[in-house]
Amino acid sequence: MKKVEITIPILNEEKTLSNNIREIYSYCEQNLSQNYQWTIIIADNGSKDKSPLIGCKLAEDLSNIIYIREKLSGVGRALKSSWKNSNADIIGYMDLDLSVPLENISRALEPLINQSFDIVYGSRLHRDSIVKGRSMKREVISRIFNLIVQKYMGTTFSDGMCGFKFLNRKYLSKLMEMGAVSDGWFFCTEILIVGEFIGLNLLELPVVWNDNSESQVKIFPLSIEYLKALRKLKIESK
């Protein structure tokens, strides 16, 4: 039976952490237990609210849940901390806000286990995707950024920023060795860029995306961070 680890990066999520983790847990218990050994990793990256207390309590109360904590913030830092200590066959992550419906977990795992795909990633920009509640500003910025990635890096994937990706863990060391090392959000895009560079087989998964109006992501500072990291990766990949 294949081992699967789903990492949930968190930062100051005391309002939704318990309910949403329990919802993810319930889905996994009902839909994954028959075919997979699964674990949920709550990867805290610098929370200053009650998230650490809640995360520890969830890990105490529920089997198959682990809470880990990094003192400094950064989604990439949280994911690397979780994944580098993993012995699972498949590792992945999704956003705590459940913008991507939970049934996509099963949709992502099947091609990785039963087909020849190495990375499966959600896309909000696939022609079959449905995006709900997203502002025009966020939509335009997302499309512009992803176009920049395609033109600047020569990649083909449509959406590097979607918070839903799963991969075969045996490729993690190679991905990091070849440049997927960012401590911030860009790490999630680096996985796909480097994955294409080294010839991994990527599958784009169209998703229904329910945009979170209370998202803590600040789109303009994040865009600057992305562009700087993109330039750094371009230079180092030559």
Side-chain angles (χ1 to χ4, degrees):
M1 189 176 286
K2 297 290 187 180
K3 294 182 179 179
V4 175
E5 285 186 359
I6 305 169
T7 298
I8 315 294
I10 67 164
L11 175 63
N12 298 326
E13 304 284 3
E14 64 180 11
K15 293 181 180 179
T16 61
L17 181 56
S18 182
N19 286 342
N20 288 13
I21 289 295
R22 289 178 184 276
E23 190 171 341
I24 298 168
Y25 181 92
S26 179
Y27 176 86
C28 293
E29 191 173 46
Q30 294 175 25
N31 296 275
L32 302 187
S33 296
Q34 185 173 350
N35 298 314
Y36 309 105
Q37 294 181 32
W38 57 272
T39 304
I40 297 170
I41 311 291
I42 303 171
D44 190 338
N45 57 112
S47 290
K48 304 298 184 183
D49 63 359
K50 295 179 181 178
S51 293
L53 294 175
I54 298 169
C56 288
K57 187 67 165 59
L58 286 165
E60 290 176 5
D61 291 347
L62 300 172
S63 60
N64 298 15
I65 288 187
I66 296 172
Y67 171 81
I68 63 173
R69 177 173 170 80
E70 288 287 318
K71 293 182 179 180
L72 299 177
S73 64
V75 171
R77 181 178 285 110
L79 291 178
K80 288 184 291 182
S81 176
S82 174
W83 290 353
K84 282 169 29 176
N85 292 316
S86 173
N87 66 352
D89 301 290
I90 303 299
I91 53 176
Y93 84 97
M94 61 184 297
D95 294 336
L96 178 69
D97 62 11
L98 308 182
S99 293
V100 176
L102 292 172
E103 58 264 25
N104 287 286
I105 297 174
S106 297
R107 292 180 63 213
L109 293 178
E110 196 280 330
L112 289 166
I113 299 295
N114 298 318
Q115 302 179 39
S116 58
F117 292 101
D118 306 312
I119 300 176
V120 176
Y121 61 96
S123 172
R124 298 158 296 186
L125 302 179
H126 190 282
R127 64 179 179 274
D128 294 329
S129 297
I130 299 173
V131 177
K132 301 177 181 179
R134 199 170 206 211
S135 69
M136 182 62 69
K137 179 179 75 173
R138 283 181 175 266
E139 181 70 14
V140 169
I141 291 175
S142 176
R143 289 185 178 274
I144 290 173
F145 173 78
N146 281 290
L147 183 61
I148 290 172
V149 172
Q150 289 178 345
K151 299 300 183 182
Y152 190 58
M153 302 301 293
T155 54
T156 61
F157 57 84
S158 70
D159 187 2
M161 303 170 76
C162 181
F164 187 85
K165 295 178 177 68
F166 286 80
L167 62 144
N168 192 317
R169 187 186 60 84
K170 70 181 181 181
Y171 296 114
L172 179 63
S173 295
K174 187 66 173 179
L175 288 167
M176 295 182 66
E177 177 187 333
M178 298 301 292
V181 295
S182 173
D183 288 333
W185 279 99
F186 190 64
F187 178 72
C188 308
T189 301
E190 281 179 332
I191 292 169
L192 301 187
I193 294 173
V194 177
E196 282 201 8
F197 282 177
I198 65 176
L200 297 186
N201 197 6
L202 278 61
L203 175 65
E204 184 165 284
L205 196 68
V207 296
V208 174
W209 176 269
N210 298 290
D211 208 65
N212 179 11
S213 61
E214 298 183 0
S215 173
Q216 299 183 47
V217 174
K218 306 302 181 184
I219 194 70
F220 287 111
L222 180 62
S223 298
I224 298 301
E225 174 192 329
Y226 265 55
L227 291 172
K228 289 180 179 178
L230 190 65
R231 183 173 182 273
K232 182 173 182 290
L233 180 60
K234 176 78 168 182
I235 293 171
E236 292 180 352
S237 64
K238 288 183 177 179

